[in-house]
Amino acid sequence: MATWYSVIDLLLARLDAEAAHGVALRALKSGLLPSDHRADSSSLAVRVWGRSLPNPIGLAAGFDKNAEVPDAMLALGFGFVEIGSVTPRPQDGNPRPRLFRLAEDRGVINRMGFPGQGLDAARSRLAIRARRGFVGVNVGANKDSTDRAADYVACSVALAPYADYLVCNVSSPNTPGLRTLQGRTQLADLLKRVQDAIAARPVPLVVKVAPDASDDDLDDIVAVCRELRMDGIIVGNTTLSRPPSLRSARRNETGGLSGAPLTALSTDVLRRTAQRVERQFPLVGCGGVGSGMDAYAKIRAGATLVQVYSAMVYEGPPLIRRIKEELAALLARDGFATVADAMGADL
């Protein structure tokens, strides 16, 4: 697969970043990409929310916004896939260009603004797929909504029947005012409304928070999640910060930064979150994962699961197998029989 993708990558690299993403989706829908059905190392198997997964490496939200290719992504070797963010009504998002490669830094900046086909389109696709694998649904709010909590409720109620877990994304920096929902009062109100709304058909409910959260922010977020007995936290989303080490000419574009420049920050915030959570519920490490070592660092910092997205812009599907093999080797090197044994080892 690696040789095959290296040829395709030469073509994709010549396209605008968003156009290349569209080509990738079309290729996945057509079945052109080869699957990876090789068995994973037994050390990578994890159990979370009552389910057993073959490995802890998942696809982060943002790649498959409209639930077009969850099964194709699972076939590439991911242990789980997250679709979305889904908003109640279709919206165009922010004006183009809004997605930028920072090749010298192996990073990406986006200011997408939750573009998508809306709730009805995502639900119709999820409703007809066979329930196999582990697929999460990430939900958000429309930009012009007057009651954003109601948007999360509407999406959660409609999509819970088709989701293995739900994510309330309150951390995108590209919808004005969205991150204010991370405040203690606003977050408690939003999550309680969603919990109550899906009580008749409960699924694991987690919240996705920003890597820019301060210690005070984390105190509030974790306190709310513990009080409400939430099922998990994803740490984190893209960052508004700009490390001085960035070299790309695109480094000052407006939007959220992801990829390799985010690795250290997101892992540090994950560790600080885990110290506050005290194993009360699982954490998902997201941000800057491009190797087995990056995934291992997040697991040792307290993550049960790890998500990948931006690094695939540069390495494509072969990255998934490489991360899994490197992670299995690191676990064996340090004497851990399973991912669960290594979880939180650095706390």
Side-chain angles (χ1 to χ4, degrees), residues 51-67:
R51 295 281 296 276
S52 295
L53 309 185
N55 68 77
I57 308 303
L59 176 68
F63 180 85
D64 187 8
K65 294 175 171 41
N66 300 300

Side-chain angles (χ1 to χ4, degrees), residues 156-157 160 166 192-203 205:
S156 298
V157 169
L166 284 170
K192 185 64 166 62
R193 287 173 67 176
V194 173
Q195 281 184 329
D196 290 346
I198 64 171
R201 193 176 187 127
V203 297
L205 179 64

Side-chain angles (χ1 to χ4, degrees), residues 49 165-168 191 204-208 230-234:
W49 301 314
Y165 68 98
L166 284 170
V167 183
C168 289
L191 296 178
L205 179 64
V206 307
V207 61
K208 185 169 184 174
M230 290 285 289
D231 297 295
I233 297 176
I234 300 178

Side-chain angles (χ1 to χ4, degrees), residues 129-142:
R129 68 174 290 268
R131 288 297 292 270
R132 58 177 177 265
F134 198 68
V135 176
V137 175
N138 183 303
V139 301
N142 282 112

Side-chain angles (χ1 to χ4, degrees), residues 250-331:
R250 295 286 197 179
R251 63 186 178 274
N252 292 320
E253 290 284 354
T254 300
L257 172 67
S258 59
L262 179 58
T263 306
L265 173 63
S266 61
T267 302
D268 177 63
V269 177
L270 170 67
R271 183 181 298 105
R272 289 189 282 130
T273 304
Q275 289 167 341
R276 291 161 167 80
V277 169
E278 299 178 310
R279 298 179 182 262
Q280 294 299 300
F281 45 71
L283 298 177
V284 181
C286 182
V289 176
S291 69
M293 180 60 79
D294 295 335
Y296 187 47
K298 290 194 185 298
I299 290 165
R300 291 182 65 105
T304 298
L305 303 174
V306 177
Q307 290 182 322
V308 180
Y309 178 7
S310 294
M312 287 189 64
V313 170
Y314 299 103
E315 295 193 45
L319 174 70
I320 308 163
R321 174 57 55 181
R322 179 170 71 80
I323 288 177
K324 293 190 294 185
E325 291 178 348
E326 290 174 355
L327 176 57
L330 289 164
L331 291 169

Side-chain angles (χ1 to χ4, degrees), residues 60-77:
F63 180 85
D64 187 8
K65 294 175 171 41
N66 300 300
E68 297 175 275
V69 292
D71 295 302
M73 298 308 291
L74 287 169
L76 294 177

Side-chain angles (χ1 to χ4, degrees), residues 166-242:
L166 284 170
V167 183
C168 289
N169 182 0
V170 295
S171 53
S172 170
N174 300 311
T175 297
L178 191 77
R179 286 191 173 187
T180 63
L181 295 175
Q182 293 179 127
R184 185 164 186 154
T185 301
Q186 299 96 316
L187 185 63
D189 175 68
L190 185 155
L191 296 178
K192 185 64 166 62
R193 287 173 67 176
V194 173
Q195 281 184 329
D196 290 346
I198 64 171
R201 193 176 187 127
V203 297
L205 179 64
V206 307
V207 61
K208 185 169 184 174
V209 302
D212 302 320
S214 66
D215 283 338
D216 288 343
D217 294 334
L218 292 178
D219 287 342
D220 288 343
I221 290 166
V222 172
V224 167
C225 290
R226 292 185 66 156
E227 289 165 7
L228 294 178
R229 298 188 177 184
M230 290 285 289
D231 297 295
I233 297 176
I234 300 178
V235 184
N237 210 314
T238 57
T239 179
L240 290 172
S241 66
R242 295 292 185 268

